[in-house]
Amino acid sequence: MTLESPSIIDVAKKAGVSVATASRVMSGSTYPVSDGTREKVLIAAKELHYVPNSLARSLKAQRSKLIAVLVGDNADPYFAQVARGVEEVANAHGYLTIICNTERDPDRELSYLQTLQDYRADGIIFTGSGSDETSVPEQLEIDAMVEKIQRRGAAIVILSPHSIQAPSIQPDNLGGAYELTSYLISLGHKRIAFVTGPGNVTVANQRLHGYRQALTDSGITPDDTLLLPGNFTQAGGERAAGMLDQFPREKRPTAVFACNDETAFGLMYGLRQRGWRLPEDISICGFGNLPMARMVTPSLTTVNIALRELGRAGAQKILTLLQHQETPTQETFPTTVVKRASTIPLEHTAGVQQ
Amino acid sequence: MTLESPSIIDVAKKAGVSVATASRVMSGSTYPVSDGTREKVLIAAKELHYVPNSLARSLKAQRSKLIAVLVGDNADPYFAQVARGVEEVANAHGYLTIICNTERDPDRELSYLQTLQDYRADGIIFTGSGSDETSVPEQLEIDAMVEKIQRRGAAIVILSPHSIQAPSIQPDNLGGAYELTSYLISLGHKRIAFVTGPGNVTVANQRLHGYRQALTDSGITPDDTLLLPGNFTQAGGERAAGMLDQFPREKRPTAVFACNDETAFGLMYGLRQRGWRLPEDISICGFGNLPMARMVTPSLTTVNIALRELGRAGAQKILTLLQHQETPTQETFPTTVVKRASTIPLEHTAGVQQ
DNA sequence: TTGTACGCGTTATCAA
DNA sequence: TTGATAACGCGTACAA
């Protein structure tokens, strides 16, 4: 019983060959090794239960076989799905996946970038922490860090709008929001409220723009009193429900576009708590098509983003970049409207004179 | 502009000291260094934007500052919450968190253990992949691998029943299920169905035992025709709904205990699809208290497990073990019944003669 | 086809 | 208090 794990030296000794030869066999080098020798080494390795030390290997090779995914919160279903996709592809190619919860805090983001540089992470995937504020004090440092990481040869990919410069795959937030709003309009709705995202997160603003554009294109003037502040959380949705409940009856919107599903869930819950009937009293829709969107009552109309697939695509792009192969700098990821029971025609909405 | 990141040699050169001295300053060693020299090194390091190479450091120190969490699927809210807690504590102590999706497949579990051994992961947290079958062919290999990892000095902690030998923190599944079932009984229910978990996953069986025990203790004979097969997923819950719908009216249960929340969500959805009214036609409860449990309609009665806190506790235990400090081998993690709207007294249930 | 010997970036041991 | 050097385990020029 060996207390220490055996090194390649032990394998070489046991096989009666040099370390170089043993290494060539174990590392799957293309270097020629005679079949007999190869066999001996493999047997020795098996008998010793030899496991190569990835740390040493990485140190030597200047690459770690680590891929990190930076998310706001891995317990948020949106990020969880993306991370799952990343891990799938990473694992299939022999990479480990590191999870980094930034809590949308630039300080934490920067701190993680430092650490990932320390570990010589081969790939870093940003998802969903991008803010409009190009003027956050940390931005300069983050940019510098990113550049440094890229110079080292690591690959960076962003899966949502972000101020940094890197290849990206972006869900079509604007298009999805436009289509979804158009759908509401096609149902007859004109007074459509919008629950915003946190502060100046770009994704949320893209959806807001899509919403506005669709209204304008249909000859409806966007009404800013119908903009309710949210923050991508259920709690934010519940607060919006409270505000909605305060509207004078004649000014009430007949539909609400919550800028993500979580918000829509909270909104539905909050409205029902206050005695509203859904969808009779108001149509509601979200964005993201989380697994629960189908399950809630009424089932939620929303915009589908194939999140797991997005994660997979992101990881693939990292791998492609690491192989110095060509890949588009900017890719758009399609979104599609999913029509369900939470949105109904205006004429079926309660309190609407036919 | 340097293309390569500077090493400690560069720092030493620039500061005009030896590598040893530079290292002593940078690594925060307790070794005495004169203030002047220390200053010089720190300035040089700052100017060069020196970042220590964690790989080399780990290789030398024989520890990686990596903590891995093995989960069935990180997109499952249960695991996502636990992983979040792990990451919080890990990050606060300078560790990176690696996510490993085993898909409950022993082969993948084994493969990941190998890789984690390669990387000299300092801590490994198992959560929720434990099965009753001690006879899976891989079990022997997994046991051997685990022992090897522990011999190396790495810490292993399990957060759910698992066949391997390691310190554990176990949610009180049996107690929670017992209490929850007792609550249903106190509402007057006698015909209580149970939707099981996948195959022979121990967690699910613990909950089943709690359910049975509570029935027996109340003088109700458990009826195996009320056991519906599930698999911890929404789809499983939907299937169970189909089976429930087939029951002859007089044999219908008046309440269902779904052995996790996901299953309960699917069950509620499936029943409603078939025209059932909830909770009037049947009381439903789950297990886990996921964030969505409160938001569904009707809000779900369930058993709370402080999952994020469980993850935190697991990571803490890892840290404690790594410092060779005392920590209980077996800890129980409390669970509490959360009463909500999805369960009602028997006499309020439709079709029940008063 | 095989072996020798060095370097990857740190830290620890020893000597000065 | 400081410096030279070995070691961690691996891969690879270069030599044989």
Side-chain angles (χ1 to χ4, degrees):
Chain A
M1 179 190 298
T2 39
L3 258 165
E4 311 289 327
S5 7
S7 82
I8 198 153
I9 301 179
D10 303 312
V11 175
K13 272 195 194 133
K14 187 167 185 96
V17 301
S18 72
V19 257
T21 306
S23 168
R24 293 197 260 263
V25 174
M26 298 316 298
S27 65
S29 155
T30 57
Y31 208 89
V33 174
S34 78
D35 285 353
T37 317
R38 175 180 303 275
E39 196 69 11
K40 277 192 295 183
V41 173
L42 288 175
I43 290 174
K46 177 131 279 177
E47 286 185 356
L48 291 171
H49 293 101
Y50 168 71
V51 187
N53 184 322
S54 296
L55 259 26
R57 188 175 269 185
S58 296
L59 176 61
K60 176 70 187 172
Q62 302 280 40
R63 56 120 197 71
S64 58
K65 287 263 177 177
L66 294 175
I67 289 183
V69 44
L70 265 66
V71 298
D73 172 7
N74 80 283
D76 178 325
Y78 184 101
F79 296 132
Q81 297 278 342
V82 176
R84 182 72 160 90
V86 170
E87 195 266 356
E88 262 176 56
V89 172
N91 179 56
H93 289 80
Y95 286 76
L96 280 179
T97 304
I98 293 172
I99 203 91
C100 308
N101 290 307
T102 64
E103 290 165 27
R104 299 181 190 281
D105 173 357
D107 274 331
R108 288 179 57 90
E109 190 168 301
L110 182 57
S111 153
Y112 257 123
L113 288 177
Q114 292 271 12
T115 308
L116 294 172
Q117 174 75 330
D118 295 8
Y119 275 87
R120 304 297 187 265
D122 291 337
I124 300 179
I125 297 181
F126 283 78
T127 162
S129 36
S131 141
D132 268 351
E133 291 266 21
T134 47
S135 57
V136 277
E138 295 84 358
Q139 194 56 54
L140 242 65
E141 292 182 75
I142 290 181
D143 288 349
M145 199 68 223
V146 162
E147 211 193 321
K148 211 163 155 186
I149 292 172
Q150 286 171 325
R151 266 211 308 273
R152 168 164 62 78
I156 295 186
V157 163
I158 57 185
L159 300 184
S160 66
H162 202 289
S163 55
I164 65 168
Q165 284 290 357
S168 71
I169 307 177
Q170 306 268 356
D172 184 13
N173 286 300
L174 198 144
Y178 185 94
E179 260 194 79
L180 181 55
T181 310
S182 301
Y183 170 62
L184 292 175
I185 295 169
S186 78
L187 289 176
H189 295 282
K190 291 189 168 53
R191 296 188 54 75
I192 304 171
F194 185 94
V195 186
T196 68
N200 27 39
V201 168
T202 311
V203 201
N205 288 334
Q206 289 181 333
R207 294 176 192 168
L208 178 58
H209 286 146
Y211 154 84
R212 278 203 166 116
Q213 192 71 52
L215 289 178
T216 310
D217 287 0
S218 297
I220 303 174
T221 311
D223 176 354
D224 280 358
T225 66
L226 295 180
L227 254 44
L228 310 174
N231 60 356
F232 273 171
T233 70
Q234 295 177 358
E238 288 191 53
R239 271 196 298 278
M243 304 184 62
L244 226 41
D245 201 43
Q246 301 291 328
F247 271 71
R249 222 179 180 79
E250 71 283 5
K251 295 213 163 184
R252 266 193 197 165
T254 59
V256 192
F257 180 162
C259 83
N260 75 346
D261 283 356
E262 292 277 1
T263 302
F265 297 152
L267 183 63
M268 289 168 75
Y269 177 78
L271 287 176
R272 211 181 321 248
Q273 289 288 94
R274 290 173 173 77
W276 293 49
R277 292 160 306 156
L278 301 178
E280 295 85 351
D281 287 332
I282 196 165
S283 284
I284 291 181
C285 58
F287 205 108
N289 196 23
L290 298 182
M292 278 305 292
R294 194 176 71 95
M295 313 297 287
V296 293
T297 318
S299 63
L300 185 69
T301 293
T302 183
V303 174
N304 184 62
I305 314 174
L307 293 169
R308 198 152 151 180
E309 181 53 35
L310 178 61
R312 274 198 289 261
Q316 277 296 358
K317 204 176 187 71
I318 290 280
L319 297 177
T320 310
L321 286 167
L322 287 176
Q323 291 164 345
H324 303 290
Q325 291 176 11
E326 282 301 313
T327 177
T329 312
Q330 309 283 341
E331 281 181 79
T332 299
F333 197 77
T335 56
T336 53
V337 171
V338 181
K339 299 166 188 171
R340 296 212 182 91
S342 66
T343 45
I344 56 172
L346 180 66
E347 65 264 29
H348 296 169
T349 303
V352 171
Q353 49 276 49
Q354 313 282 327
Chain B
M1 179 187 296
T2 39
L3 258 166
E4 311 291 326
S5 1
S7 81
I8 198 153
I9 301 180
D10 302 312
V11 175
K13 271 193 195 134
K14 187 168 185 96
V17 300
S18 72
V19 246
T21 306
S23 168
R24 292 197 260 262
V25 174
M26 297 315 298
S27 65
S29 155
T30 58
Y31 207 91
V33 175
S34 77
D35 285 352
T37 316
R38 175 179 304 274
E39 196 69 12
K40 277 192 296 185
V41 173
L42 288 174
I43 291 173
K46 177 131 279 175
E47 285 184 356
L48 291 172
H49 292 102
Y50 168 71
V51 187
N53 184 321
S54 297
L55 259 25
R57 187 175 272 184
S58 296
L59 175 60
K60 177 69 186 171
Q62 302 280 41
R63 54 121 196 72
S64 58
K65 286 261 176 181
L66 294 174
I67 290 183
V69 44
L70 265 66
V71 298
D73 172 7
N74 80 283
D76 179 323
Y78 184 101
F79 296 131
Q81 297 278 342
V82 176
R84 182 73 161 91
V86 171
E87 194 267 358
E88 264 177 54
V89 172
N91 179 57
H93 290 79
Y95 286 75
L96 280 179
T97 304
I98 293 172
I99 203 91
C100 308
N101 290 308
T102 64
E103 288 165 27
R104 299 182 189 282
D105 174 357
D107 273 332
R108 289 179 57 90
E109 190 168 302
L110 182 58
S111 154
Y112 258 123
L113 288 178
Q114 292 270 13
T115 308
L116 294 172
Q117 174 76 330
D118 294 9
Y119 276 87
R120 303 299 187 265
D122 291 337
I124 300 180
I125 297 181
F126 283 77
T127 163
S129 37
S131 140
D132 267 352
E133 290 266 20
T134 47
S135 56
V136 277
E138 295 85 358
Q139 194 56 55
L140 242 65
E141 291 183 74
I142 290 181
D143 288 348
M145 199 67 222
V146 162
E147 210 193 322
K148 211 163 156 185
I149 291 172
Q150 286 171 325
R151 267 211 306 273
R152 169 165 61 78
I156 296 186
V157 163
I158 57 185
L159 300 183
S160 67
H162 201 289
S163 56
I164 65 169
Q165 284 291 356
S168 70
I169 307 178
Q170 307 268 356
D172 184 14
N173 286 301
L174 197 145
Y178 186 94
E179 260 193 79
L180 181 54
T181 310
S182 301
Y183 170 61
L184 292 175
I185 295 170
S186 78
L187 289 176
H189 296 283
K190 291 189 168 52
R191 294 189 57 76
I192 304 172
F194 185 94
V195 186
T196 68
N200 26 40
V201 168
T202 311
V203 201
N205 288 336
Q206 290 181 332
R207 293 175 193 169
L208 177 58
H209 285 148
Y211 153 85
R212 279 201 165 119
Q213 192 71 52
L215 289 179
T216 310
D217 288 359
S218 296
I220 304 173
T221 310
D223 176 355
D224 280 358
T225 65
L226 295 180
L227 252 45
L228 309 174
N231 60 355
F232 274 171
T233 69
Q234 295 176 359
E238 288 190 54
R239 272 195 297 279
M243 305 185 61
L244 226 40
D245 201 42
Q246 302 291 330
F247 270 73
R249 213 168 189 88
E250 70 284 4
K251 294 212 167 185
R252 266 195 197 164
T254 60
V256 193
F257 181 161
C259 83
N260 75 346
D261 282 357
E262 292 277 2
T263 302
F265 297 152
L267 185 62
M268 289 168 75
Y269 177 80
L271 287 176
R272 211 180 325 247
Q273 288 289 93
R274 290 172 173 80
W276 294 49
R277 293 159 305 156
L278 302 178
E280 295 84 352
D281 287 331
I282 195 164
S283 285
I284 291 180
C285 57
F287 205 110
N289 196 24
L290 298 182
M292 278 305 291
R294 195 176 69 96
M295 314 297 288
V296 293
T297 316
S299 62
L300 185 68
T301 293
T302 184
V303 174
N304 184 62
I305 313 174
L307 294 169
R308 196 152 152 181
E309 181 53 35
L310 178 62
R312 274 198 289 263
Q316 277 295 358
K317 205 176 186 71
I318 290 280
L319 297 177
T320 309
L321 286 166
L322 288 176
Q323 291 164 346
H324 303 290
Q325 290 175 11
E326 283 302 313
T327 178
T329 312
Q330 309 283 342
E331 282 180 80
T332 299
F333 198 76
T335 55
T336 52
V337 171
V338 181
K339 299 166 188 170
R340 297 212 183 90
S342 66
T343 44
I344 56 172
L346 181 65
E347 63 263 30
H348 296 169
T349 303
V352 171
Q353 50 275 48
Q354 313 281 328

